[in-house]
Amino acid sequence: MKKNTVLTVVELTRQIKSSLEHEFIDVWVEGEISNFVRHSSGHMYFTLKDEHAQISVVMFRGANKSLSFTMESGL
């Protein structure tokens, strides 16, 4: 992409999505769970963090059915 290129919101999000899908095909991430919430829909919302950074996470109902442990803050 050229310097000072102006993108629409949809153009930017499409480029980000494409980059992420090609760079991070099968990734495992380790960190501490905090701010855990299980929504009535079955989706789980939480923060995954380490001593230097954090990321907000959504685990959809279909994915969390295969967990072999009970998700909770502090794990």
Side-chain angles (χ1 to χ4, degrees):
M1 180 179 344
K2 295 180 187 177
K3 188 175 180 178
N4 297 326
T5 300
V6 177
L7 300 173
T8 65
V9 173
V10 73
E11 289 169 335
L12 177 62
T13 57
R14 282 181 183 156
Q15 287 187 21
I16 292 169
K17 182 178 185 276
S18 177
S19 294
L20 290 174
E21 287 175 343
H22 288 91
E23 287 292 320
F24 299 96
I25 296 168
D26 189 16
V27 176
W28 291 69
V29 180
E30 180 178 357
E32 179 184 340
I33 297 168
S34 65
N35 305 315
F36 176 77
V37 175
R38 181 186 302 267
H39 193 271
S40 60
S41 66
H43 304 327
M44 297 178 183
Y45 301 87
F46 55 95
T47 301
L48 193 58
K49 64 182 185 175
D50 63 21
E51 60 275 3
H52 301 290
Q54 65 183 27
I55 188 168
S56 296
V57 179
V58 177
M59 182 179 277
F60 297 109
R61 181 182 60 220
N64 66 40
K65 286 182 179 181
S66 63
L67 288 177
S68 60
F69 62 94
T70 302
M71 183 87 72
E72 62 184 51
S73 289
L75 290 180

